[in-house]
Amino acid sequence: MLIVGNWKMYGLAGGVGEARALASALDTAPTAARIGLCPPALLIARLVAAVAGSKLSIGGQDCHALSEGAYTGDLSAEMLGDAGATLVILGHSERRAGHGETDQIVAGKVNGALRAGLMPIVCVGETLEQRQAGGAEAVVTAQVVGSLPDSVAEADFAIAYEPVWAIGSGLTPTPAEIEAMHAAIRETLASRFSGAGRKIPILYGGSVKPANAAELLHLNEVGGALVGGASLKAKDFEAIIRAA
Ligand code: PGA
């Protein structure tokens, strides 16, 4: 099980205390799950220092495909790694929609993350219009294929299925809809990566809360969660982790 918090563009210096509280809760009562927290990039180094020695991994929310260059405002995977990050969220729907990231761009970033030794968490998900038109599985499996370069074959990475309409909305697909989509993603991974494709964690994301986490995390082929809003407070995020 892999449970990752995505703070998005939330969090000032006060967020360090939340990360520290979560790390000490996990120290006191350890969990078998792998736990990650992806704050805004400026907080990565501070969170890494604050939770040093704990089992909490810190990650980024995006990276550039290249290691360095004349790309004003961008950050490379090497820079995230240099700050102490060990994972990175890539292809989140907010970046696909707001920054024009195509599958091809995401695949380039995945290569960058692997080059720098970071674990990529590659996000896919359909819009409400695509679901209503009956095309959700085709859209999502095409994103899985297009966003993964061949270099992931032997790598430690995860997929996060996040229906765009479930993010931040309080809505979630039905358990049957989630299981059907995760099964379709699993088959796509298995046909491309054979045995290794069966082991890649497929996280669910979109309005995961303490109240629904136990149900969502125990569905077939759900290997964890990507949590936005409910990861900002240590108490809420810990409740989700305890539901695993
Ligand atoms: P949410 O966000 O949990 O606030 O819906 C999930 C995400 O965007 O990763």
Coordinates of all heavy atoms in Angstrom, one line a residue, residues 84-181:
G84 N 16.3 16.5 -1.3 CA 15.9 15.4 -0.5 C 14.7 14.6 -0.9 O 14.2 13.7 -0.2
A85 N 14.1 15.0 -2.0 CA 12.8 14.3 -2.4 C 13.2 12.9 -2.9 O 14.3 12.7 -3.5 CB 12.2 15.1 -3.6
T86 N 12.3 12.0 -2.8 CA 12.5 10.6 -3.3 C 11.4 10.2 -4.2 O 11.5 9.2 -4.8 CB 12.6 9.6 -2.2 OG1 11.5 9.7 -1.3 CG2 13.9 9.8 -1.3
L87 N 10.4 11.0 -4.4 CA 9.3 10.7 -5.3 C 8.8 12.0 -5.9 O 9.1 13.1 -5.5 CB 8.2 9.9 -4.6 CG 7.7 10.4 -3.3 CD1 6.4 11.2 -3.4 CD2 7.4 9.1 -2.4
V88 N 8.0 11.8 -7.0 CA 7.5 13.0 -7.7 C 6.1 12.7 -8.4 O 6.1 11.6 -9.0 CB 8.5 13.7 -8.7 CG1 8.9 12.7 -9.8 CG2 7.9 15.0 -9.2
I89 N 5.1 13.5 -8.2 CA 3.9 13.3 -8.9 C 4.0 13.9 -10.3 O 4.5 15.0 -10.4 CB 2.7 14.1 -8.1 CG1 2.5 13.6 -6.7 CG2 1.4 14.1 -8.9 CD1 1.7 14.5 -5.8
L90 N 3.6 13.2 -11.3 CA 3.7 13.7 -12.7 C 2.4 13.6 -13.4 O 1.7 12.6 -13.2 CB 4.8 13.0 -13.4 CG 6.2 13.2 -12.9 CD1 7.3 12.3 -13.5 CD2 6.6 14.7 -13.0
G91 N 2.1 14.5 -14.3 CA 0.9 14.4 -15.1 C -0.4 14.6 -14.3 O -1.5 14.1 -14.8
H92 N -0.4 15.3 -13.2 CA -1.6 15.6 -12.5 C -2.6 16.3 -13.4 O -2.1 17.1 -14.2 CB -1.3 16.4 -11.2 CG -2.5 16.5 -10.3 ND1 -3.5 17.4 -10.6 CD2 -2.8 15.8 -9.2 CE1 -4.4 17.2 -9.6 NE2 -4.0 16.3 -8.8
S93 N -3.9 16.1 -13.3 CA -4.8 16.7 -14.2 C -4.8 18.2 -14.1 O -5.1 18.9 -15.1 CB -6.2 16.2 -13.9 OG -6.7 16.5 -12.7
E94 N -4.4 18.7 -13.0 CA -4.3 20.2 -12.9 C -3.1 20.7 -13.7 O -3.1 21.8 -14.2 CB -4.1 20.6 -11.4 CG -5.5 20.5 -10.7 CD -5.4 20.2 -9.2 OE1 -4.3 20.5 -8.6 OE2 -6.4 19.8 -8.7
R95 N -2.1 19.9 -14.0 CA -1.0 20.3 -14.9 C -1.3 20.0 -16.3 O -1.0 20.7 -17.2 CB 0.3 19.6 -14.4 CG 0.7 20.0 -13.0 CD 2.2 20.1 -12.9 NE 2.9 20.9 -13.9 CZ 3.2 22.2 -13.8 NH1 2.9 22.8 -12.7 NH2 3.8 22.8 -14.7
R96 N -2.1 18.9 -16.5 CA -2.5 18.6 -17.9 C -3.4 19.7 -18.4 O -3.3 20.2 -19.5 CB -3.2 17.2 -17.9 CG -2.3 16.0 -17.7 CD -3.0 14.7 -17.7 NE -2.3 13.5 -17.4 CZ -1.7 12.7 -18.3 NH1 -1.8 12.9 -19.6 NH2 -1.0 11.6 -17.9
A97 N -4.3 20.1 -17.5 CA -5.3 21.1 -18.0 C -4.8 22.5 -17.9 O -5.0 23.3 -18.8 CB -6.6 21.0 -17.1
G98 N -4.0 22.9 -16.9 CA -3.6 24.2 -16.7 C -2.2 24.6 -17.3 O -1.9 25.7 -17.5
H99 N -1.5 23.6 -17.7 CA -0.1 23.8 -18.2 C 0.1 23.0 -19.5 O 1.2 22.9 -20.0 CB 1.0 23.4 -17.2 CG 0.9 24.3 -16.0 ND1 1.7 25.4 -15.8 CD2 0.1 24.2 -14.9 CE1 1.4 25.9 -14.6 NE2 0.5 25.2 -14.0
G100 N -1.0 22.6 -20.1 CA -0.9 22.0 -21.4 C -0.1 20.7 -21.5 O 0.5 20.4 -22.5
E101 N 0.0 20.0 -20.4 CA 0.9 18.8 -20.4 C 0.2 17.6 -21.2 O -0.9 17.1 -20.8 CB 1.3 18.4 -19.0 CG 2.2 19.3 -18.4 CD 2.8 18.8 -17.1 OE1 2.7 17.6 -16.7 OE2 3.4 19.7 -16.4
T102 N 0.8 17.2 -22.3 CA 0.3 16.0 -23.0 C 0.9 14.8 -22.5 O 1.9 14.8 -21.7 CB 0.7 16.2 -24.5 OG1 2.2 16.2 -24.5 CG2 0.2 17.4 -25.1
D103 N 0.4 13.6 -22.9 CA 1.0 12.3 -22.5 C 2.5 12.3 -22.8 O 3.3 11.8 -22.1 CB 0.3 11.2 -23.2 CG -1.1 10.9 -22.8 OD1 -1.5 11.4 -21.7 OD2 -1.8 10.2 -23.5
Q104 N 2.8 12.8 -24.0 CA 4.3 12.8 -24.5 C 5.1 13.7 -23.5 O 6.2 13.3 -23.2 CB 4.3 13.4 -25.9 CG 5.6 13.0 -26.6 CD 5.7 13.7 -28.0 OE1 4.8 14.5 -28.4 NE2 6.8 13.5 -28.6
I105 N 4.6 14.8 -23.1 CA 5.4 15.7 -22.2 C 5.5 14.9 -20.8 O 6.6 14.9 -20.2 CB 4.7 17.0 -22.0 CG1 4.8 17.9 -23.3 CG2 5.2 17.8 -20.8 CD1 4.0 19.1 -23.3
V106 N 4.4 14.3 -20.4 CA 4.5 13.6 -19.1 C 5.5 12.4 -19.2 O 6.3 12.2 -18.3 CB 3.1 13.0 -18.7 CG1 3.2 12.2 -17.5 CG2 2.1 14.2 -18.5
A107 N 5.5 11.7 -20.3 CA 6.5 10.6 -20.5 C 7.9 11.1 -20.4 O 8.8 10.5 -19.8 CB 6.2 9.9 -21.8
G108 N 8.2 12.3 -20.9 CA 9.5 12.9 -20.9 C 9.9 13.2 -19.4 O 11.0 13.0 -19.0
K109 N 8.9 13.7 -18.7 CA 9.2 14.0 -17.2 C 9.4 12.7 -16.4 O 10.2 12.7 -15.5 CB 8.0 14.8 -16.7 CG 7.9 16.1 -17.3 CD 6.7 16.9 -16.7 CE 6.7 18.3 -17.3 NZ 6.1 19.3 -16.4
V110 N 8.7 11.6 -16.8 CA 8.9 10.3 -16.1 C 10.4 9.9 -16.4 O 11.1 9.4 -15.4 CB 7.9 9.3 -16.6 CG1 8.3 7.9 -16.1 CG2 6.5 9.7 -16.3
N111 N 10.8 10.0 -17.6 CA 12.3 9.7 -17.9 C 13.2 10.5 -17.0 O 14.2 10.0 -16.5 CB 12.6 10.0 -19.3 CG 12.3 8.8 -20.2 OD1 12.5 7.7 -19.8 ND2 12.0 9.1 -21.5
G112 N 12.9 11.8 -16.8 CA 13.7 12.7 -16.0 C 13.7 12.2 -14.6 O 14.8 12.2 -13.9
A113 N 12.5 11.9 -14.1 CA 12.4 11.4 -12.7 C 13.3 10.2 -12.5 O 14.0 10.0 -11.5 CB 11.0 11.2 -12.3
L114 N 13.2 9.2 -13.4 CA 13.9 8.0 -13.2 C 15.4 8.2 -13.3 O 16.2 7.6 -12.6 CB 13.5 6.9 -14.3 CG 12.0 6.5 -14.2 CD1 11.7 5.6 -15.3 CD2 11.7 5.8 -12.8
R115 N 15.8 9.1 -14.2 CA 17.2 9.4 -14.4 C 17.8 9.9 -13.1 O 18.9 9.7 -12.7 CB 17.4 10.5 -15.5 CG 18.8 10.9 -15.8 CD 18.8 12.2 -16.7 NE 18.1 13.3 -16.0 CZ 17.1 14.0 -16.5 NH1 16.7 13.8 -17.7 NH2 16.6 14.9 -15.8
A116 N 17.0 10.7 -12.3 CA 17.4 11.3 -11.1 C 17.2 10.4 -9.9 O 17.5 10.8 -8.7 CB 16.7 12.7 -10.9
G117 N 16.6 9.2 -10.1 CA 16.4 8.3 -9.0 C 15.2 8.6 -8.2 O 15.0 8.1 -7.1
L118 N 14.2 9.3 -8.7 CA 13.0 9.6 -8.0 C 11.9 8.6 -8.5 O 11.9 8.1 -9.6 CB 12.4 11.0 -8.3 CG 13.3 12.2 -8.0 CD1 12.6 13.5 -8.3 CD2 13.8 12.1 -6.6
M119 N 11.0 8.2 -7.6 CA 9.9 7.3 -7.9 C 8.8 8.2 -8.5 O 8.2 9.0 -7.8 CB 9.3 6.6 -6.7 CG 8.1 5.8 -7.0 SD 7.3 5.2 -5.5 CE 6.2 4.0 -6.1
P120 N 8.4 8.0 -9.8 CA 7.3 8.8 -10.4 C 5.9 8.2 -10.0 O 5.7 7.0 -10.0 CB 7.5 8.6 -11.9 CG 8.7 7.8 -12.1 CD 9.0 7.1 -10.8
I121 N 5.0 9.1 -9.7 CA 3.6 8.7 -9.5 C 2.8 9.4 -10.7 O 2.7 10.6 -10.7 CB 3.1 9.2 -8.1 CG1 3.9 8.5 -7.1 CG2 1.6 8.9 -8.0 CD1 3.8 9.1 -5.7
V122 N 2.4 8.6 -11.6 CA 1.9 9.1 -12.9 C 0.4 9.1 -12.8 O -0.3 8.1 -12.6 CB 2.4 8.2 -14.1 CG1 1.9 8.8 -15.4 CG2 3.9 8.1 -14.1
C123 N -0.2 10.3 -13.0 CA -1.6 10.5 -12.8 C -2.3 10.4 -14.1 O -1.9 11.0 -15.2 CB -1.9 11.9 -12.2 SG -1.1 12.1 -10.6
V124 N -3.5 9.8 -14.1 CA -4.4 9.7 -15.3 C -5.8 9.8 -14.8 O -6.1 9.7 -13.6 CB -4.2 8.3 -15.9 CG1 -2.9 8.1 -16.5 CG2 -4.5 7.1 -15.0
G125 N -6.7 10.2 -15.7 CA -8.1 10.3 -15.2 C -8.9 11.0 -16.3 O -8.4 11.9 -17.0
E126 N -10.2 10.7 -16.3 CA -11.1 11.2 -17.4 C -11.9 12.4 -16.8 O -12.1 12.5 -15.6 CB -12.1 10.1 -17.8 CG -13.3 9.9 -17.0 CD -13.0 9.1 -15.7 OE1 -11.9 8.7 -15.4 OE2 -14.0 9.0 -14.9
T127 N -12.4 13.3 -17.7 CA -13.3 14.3 -17.3 C -14.7 13.8 -17.2 O -15.0 12.7 -17.7 CB -13.3 15.5 -18.4 OG1 -13.8 14.9 -19.6 CG2 -11.9 16.0 -18.6
L128 N -15.6 14.6 -16.7 CA -17.0 14.2 -16.6 C -17.6 14.0 -17.9 O -18.3 13.0 -18.2 CB -17.8 15.3 -15.8 CG -19.2 14.8 -15.4 CD1 -19.2 13.6 -14.6 CD2 -19.9 16.0 -14.6
E129 N -17.3 14.9 -18.9 CA -17.8 14.7 -20.2 C -17.4 13.4 -20.9 O -18.2 12.7 -21.5 CB -17.4 15.9 -21.1 CG -17.8 17.3 -20.7 CD -17.3 17.8 -19.4 OE1 -16.1 17.5 -19.1 OE2 -18.0 18.5 -18.7
Q130 N -16.1 13.1 -20.7 CA -15.6 11.8 -21.2 C -16.3 10.6 -20.6 O -16.7 9.7 -21.3 CB -14.1 11.7 -21.0 CG -13.3 12.7 -21.9 CD -11.9 12.9 -21.5 OE1 -11.5 12.8 -20.4 NE2 -11.1 13.2 -22.5
R131 N -16.6 10.7 -19.3 CA -17.3 9.6 -18.6 C -18.7 9.5 -19.1 O -19.2 8.4 -19.4 CB -17.2 9.7 -17.1 CG -18.0 8.6 -16.4 CD -17.6 8.4 -14.9 NE -16.4 7.7 -14.7 CZ -16.2 6.4 -14.7 NH1 -17.3 5.6 -14.8 NH2 -15.0 5.9 -14.5
Q132 N -19.4 10.6 -19.2 CA -20.8 10.6 -19.6 C -20.9 10.1 -21.1 O -21.9 9.6 -21.5 CB -21.4 12.0 -19.5 CG -21.7 12.3 -18.0 CD -22.1 13.7 -17.7 OE1 -21.8 14.6 -18.5 NE2 -22.6 14.0 -16.6
A133 N -19.9 10.4 -21.9 CA -19.9 9.9 -23.3 C -19.5 8.4 -23.4 O -19.5 7.9 -24.5 CB -19.0 10.7 -24.1
G134 N -19.2 7.8 -22.3 CA -18.9 6.3 -22.3 C -17.5 6.0 -22.6 O -17.2 4.9 -22.9
G135 N -16.6 7.0 -22.6 CA -15.3 6.8 -23.1 C -14.2 6.8 -22.0 O -13.0 6.8 -22.3
A136 N -14.6 6.7 -20.8 CA -13.6 6.8 -19.7 C -12.5 5.8 -19.8 O -11.3 6.2 -19.7 CB -14.3 6.7 -18.3
E137 N -12.8 4.5 -20.0 CA -11.8 3.5 -20.0 C -10.8 3.7 -21.1 O -9.6 3.6 -20.9 CB -12.3 2.1 -20.0 CG -12.7 1.6 -18.6 CD -13.2 0.2 -18.6 OE1 -12.8 -0.6 -19.5 OE2 -13.9 -0.1 -17.6
A138 N -11.3 4.1 -22.3 CA -10.4 4.3 -23.4 C -9.5 5.5 -23.2 O -8.3 5.4 -23.5 CB -11.3 4.5 -24.7
V139 N -10.1 6.5 -22.6 CA -9.3 7.7 -22.3 C -8.1 7.4 -21.4 O -7.0 7.8 -21.6 CB -10.2 8.9 -21.8 CG1 -9.3 10.0 -21.2 CG2 -11.1 9.4 -22.8
V140 N -8.5 6.7 -20.3 CA -7.6 6.5 -19.2 C -6.5 5.5 -19.6 O -5.3 5.7 -19.4 CB -8.3 6.0 -17.9 CG1 -7.3 5.5 -16.9 CG2 -9.1 7.2 -17.4
T141 N -6.9 4.4 -20.3 CA -5.9 3.4 -20.7 C -4.9 4.0 -21.8 O -3.7 3.8 -21.8 CB -6.5 2.1 -21.2 OG1 -7.4 2.4 -22.2 CG2 -7.2 1.4 -20.1
A142 N -5.5 4.9 -22.6 CA -4.6 5.6 -23.6 C -3.6 6.5 -22.8 O -2.4 6.6 -23.2 CB -5.4 6.4 -24.6
Q143 N -4.0 7.2 -21.8 CA -3.1 8.0 -21.0 C -2.0 7.2 -20.4 O -0.9 7.5 -20.3 CB -3.9 8.8 -19.9 CG -4.7 9.9 -20.4 CD -5.5 10.6 -19.3 OE1 -5.8 10.0 -18.3 NE2 -5.9 11.9 -19.5
V144 N -2.4 6.0 -19.9 CA -1.4 5.1 -19.2 C -0.4 4.7 -20.3 O 0.8 4.8 -20.0 CB -2.1 3.8 -18.7 CG1 -1.1 2.8 -18.2 CG2 -3.0 4.2 -17.5
V145 N -0.8 4.3 -21.4 CA 0.1 3.9 -22.5 C 1.0 5.1 -22.9 O 2.3 5.0 -22.9 CB -0.6 3.4 -23.7 CG1 0.3 3.1 -24.9 CG2 -1.4 2.1 -23.4
G146 N 0.4 6.2 -23.1 CA 1.2 7.4 -23.7 C 2.1 8.1 -22.7 O 3.1 8.7 -23.0
S147 N 1.7 7.9 -21.4 CA 2.5 8.7 -20.3 C 3.7 7.9 -19.8 O 4.4 8.4 -19.0 CB 1.6 9.1 -19.2 OG 0.5 9.8 -19.7
L148 N 3.8 6.6 -20.2 CA 4.8 5.8 -19.6 C 5.9 5.5 -20.7 O 5.6 4.8 -21.7 CB 4.3 4.5 -19.1 CG 3.3 4.6 -17.9 CD1 2.8 3.2 -17.5 CD2 3.9 5.2 -16.7
P149 N 7.1 6.0 -20.5 CA 8.2 5.6 -21.5 C 8.6 4.2 -21.2 O 8.4 3.6 -20.1 CB 9.3 6.6 -21.1 CG 9.1 6.9 -19.7 CD 7.6 6.8 -19.4
D150 N 9.3 3.6 -22.2 CA 9.8 2.2 -22.0 C 10.7 2.1 -20.8 O 10.8 1.0 -20.2 CB 10.5 1.7 -23.2 CG 9.5 1.6 -24.4 OD1 8.3 1.3 -24.1 OD2 10.0 1.7 -25.6
S151 N 11.3 3.2 -20.4 CA 12.3 3.1 -19.3 C 11.7 2.7 -18.0 O 12.4 2.4 -17.0 CB 13.0 4.5 -19.2 OG 12.1 5.5 -18.9
V152 N 10.4 2.8 -17.8 CA 9.8 2.4 -16.5 C 9.7 0.9 -16.3 O 9.4 0.5 -15.2 CB 8.3 3.0 -16.3 CG1 8.3 4.5 -16.3 CG2 7.4 2.4 -17.4
A153 N 10.0 0.1 -17.3 CA 9.8 -1.3 -17.3 C 10.3 -1.9 -16.0 O 9.6 -2.7 -15.4 CB 10.4 -2.0 -18.5
E154 N 11.5 -1.6 -15.6 CA 12.1 -2.2 -14.4 C 12.1 -1.3 -13.2 O 12.7 -1.6 -12.2 CB 13.6 -2.6 -14.7 CG 13.8 -3.5 -15.9 CD 13.1 -4.9 -15.7 OE1 13.1 -5.4 -14.6 OE2 12.5 -5.4 -16.7
A155 N 11.4 -0.2 -13.3 CA 11.5 0.9 -12.3 C 10.4 0.8 -11.2 O 9.4 0.1 -11.4 CB 11.5 2.3 -12.9
D156 N 10.7 1.5 -10.1 CA 9.7 1.6 -9.0 C 8.9 2.8 -9.4 O 9.3 3.9 -9.3 CB 10.5 1.8 -7.7 CG 9.6 1.8 -6.5 OD1 8.5 1.2 -6.6 OD2 10.0 2.3 -5.4
F157 N 7.6 2.6 -9.8 CA 6.7 3.7 -10.1 C 5.3 3.3 -9.7 O 5.0 2.1 -9.5 CB 6.9 4.1 -11.5 CG 6.2 3.2 -12.5 CD1 4.9 3.6 -13.1 CD2 6.8 2.1 -12.9 CE1 4.3 2.8 -14.0 CE2 6.1 1.2 -13.9 CZ 4.9 1.6 -14.4
A158 N 4.4 4.3 -9.7 CA 3.0 4.0 -9.5 C 2.1 4.8 -10.4 O 2.6 5.8 -11.0 CB 2.7 4.4 -8.0
I159 N 0.9 4.3 -10.6 CA -0.1 5.0 -11.4 C -1.1 5.5 -10.4 O -1.4 4.8 -9.4 CB -0.8 4.0 -12.4 CG1 0.1 3.5 -13.4 CG2 -2.0 4.7 -13.0 CD1 0.5 4.5 -14.5
A160 N -1.6 6.7 -10.6 CA -2.7 7.2 -9.8 C -3.9 7.5 -10.7 O -3.8 8.3 -11.6 CB -2.3 8.5 -9.0
Y161 N -5.0 6.8 -10.5 CA -6.2 7.0 -11.2 C -7.0 8.1 -10.5 O -7.5 7.8 -9.4 CB -7.0 5.7 -11.4 CG -8.5 6.0 -11.9 CD1 -8.6 6.7 -13.1 CD2 -9.6 5.6 -11.1 CE1 -9.9 7.1 -13.5 CE2 -10.9 5.9 -11.6 CZ -11.0 6.6 -12.8 OH -12.3 7.0 -13.2
E162 N -7.2 9.2 -11.1 CA -7.9 10.4 -10.5 C -8.9 10.9 -11.5 O -8.5 11.7 -12.3 CB -6.9 11.5 -10.1 CG -5.8 11.1 -9.1 CD -5.3 12.3 -8.4 OE1 -4.7 13.2 -9.0 OE2 -5.4 12.3 -7.2
P163 N -10.2 10.5 -11.3 CA -11.2 11.1 -12.2 C -11.2 12.6 -12.0 O -11.2 13.1 -10.8 CB -12.5 10.5 -11.8 CG -12.1 9.4 -10.8 CD -10.8 9.6 -10.3
V164 N -11.1 13.4 -13.0 CA -11.0 14.9 -12.9 C -12.1 15.4 -12.1 O -12.0 16.3 -11.2 CB -10.9 15.5 -14.3 CG1 -10.8 17.0 -14.2 CG2 -9.6 15.0 -15.0
W165 N -13.3 14.9 -12.3 CA -14.5 15.4 -11.7 C -14.6 15.0 -10.2 O -15.5 15.5 -9.5 CB -15.8 14.8 -12.4 CG -15.8 13.4 -12.7 CD1 -15.1 12.7 -13.7 CD2 -16.3 12.4 -11.8 NE1 -15.3 11.3 -13.5 CE2 -16.1 11.1 -12.4 CE3 -17.1 12.4 -10.7 CZ2 -16.5 9.9 -11.9 CZ3 -17.5 11.2 -10.1 CH2 -17.2 10.0 -10.7
A166 N -13.8 14.1 -9.8 CA -13.8 13.7 -8.4 C -12.8 14.5 -7.5 O -12.8 14.5 -6.3 CB -13.5 12.2 -8.2
I167 N -11.9 15.2 -8.2 CA -10.9 16.0 -7.5 C -11.4 17.2 -6.8 O -12.0 18.1 -7.5 CB -9.7 16.3 -8.4 CG1 -9.0 15.0 -8.9 CG2 -8.7 17.3 -7.7 CD1 -7.9 15.3 -9.9
G168 N -11.3 17.3 -5.5 CA -11.7 18.5 -4.8 C -13.2 18.7 -4.8 O -13.7 19.8 -4.3
S169 N -14.0 17.8 -5.3 CA -15.5 18.0 -5.4 C -16.3 17.3 -4.4 O -17.5 17.6 -4.2 CB -15.9 17.4 -6.8 OG -15.7 16.0 -6.8
G170 N -15.7 16.4 -3.6 CA -16.5 15.6 -2.6 C -17.2 14.4 -3.3 O -17.9 13.6 -2.7
L171 N -17.1 14.3 -4.6 CA -17.7 13.2 -5.4 C -16.7 12.1 -5.6 O -15.5 12.4 -5.8 CB -18.2 13.7 -6.8 CG -19.2 14.9 -6.8 CD1 -19.4 15.3 -8.2 CD2 -20.5 14.5 -6.2
T172 N -17.1 10.9 -5.6 CA -16.3 9.8 -6.0 C -17.0 8.9 -6.9 O -18.3 8.8 -6.8 CB -15.8 8.9 -4.8 OG1 -16.9 8.5 -4.1 CG2 -14.9 9.8 -3.8
P173 N -16.4 8.1 -7.8 CA -17.1 7.1 -8.5 C -17.6 6.0 -7.6 O -17.2 6.0 -6.4 CB -16.0 6.5 -9.4 CG -14.8 7.4 -9.3 CD -14.9 8.1 -8.0
T174 N -18.5 5.2 -8.1 CA -19.0 4.1 -7.2 C -17.8 3.0 -7.1 O -16.9 3.0 -7.9 CB -20.2 3.3 -7.9 OG1 -19.7 2.7 -9.1 CG2 -21.3 4.3 -8.2
P175 N -17.9 2.2 -6.0 CA -16.9 1.2 -5.9 C -16.7 0.3 -7.2 O -15.6 0.0 -7.6 CB -17.4 0.3 -4.7 CG -18.2 1.3 -3.9 CD -18.8 2.2 -4.9
A176 N -17.9 0.0 -7.8 CA -17.8 -0.8 -9.0 C -17.1 -0.1 -10.1 O -16.3 -0.7 -10.9 CB -19.2 -1.2 -9.4
E177 N -17.3 1.2 -10.2 CA -16.7 2.0 -11.3 C -15.1 2.1 -11.0 O -14.3 2.0 -12.0 CB -17.2 3.4 -11.3 CG -18.6 3.5 -12.0 CD -19.3 4.8 -11.8 OE1 -19.0 5.6 -10.8 OE2 -20.2 5.1 -12.6
I178 N -14.8 2.2 -9.8 CA -13.3 2.3 -9.5 C -12.7 0.9 -9.8 O -11.6 0.8 -10.4 CB -13.1 2.7 -8.0 CG1 -13.6 4.1 -7.8 CG2 -11.6 2.5 -7.6 CD1 -13.5 4.6 -6.3
E179 N -13.3 -0.2 -9.3 CA -12.8 -1.5 -9.6 C -12.7 -1.8 -11.1 O -11.7 -2.3 -11.6 CB -13.6 -2.6 -8.9 CG -13.4 -2.5 -7.4 CD -14.0 -3.7 -6.6 OE1 -15.0 -4.3 -7.2 OE2 -13.5 -4.0 -5.5
A180 N -13.6 -1.4 -11.9 CA -13.6 -1.6 -13.3 C -12.4 -0.8 -13.9 O -11.7 -1.4 -14.8 CB -14.9 -1.2 -13.9
M181 N -12.3 0.4 -13.5 CA -11.2 1.2 -14.1 C -9.8 0.7 -13.7 O -8.9 0.6 -14.5 CB -11.3 2.7 -13.7 CG -10.3 3.6 -14.4 SD -10.5 3.6 -16.2 CE -11.9 4.8 -16.3

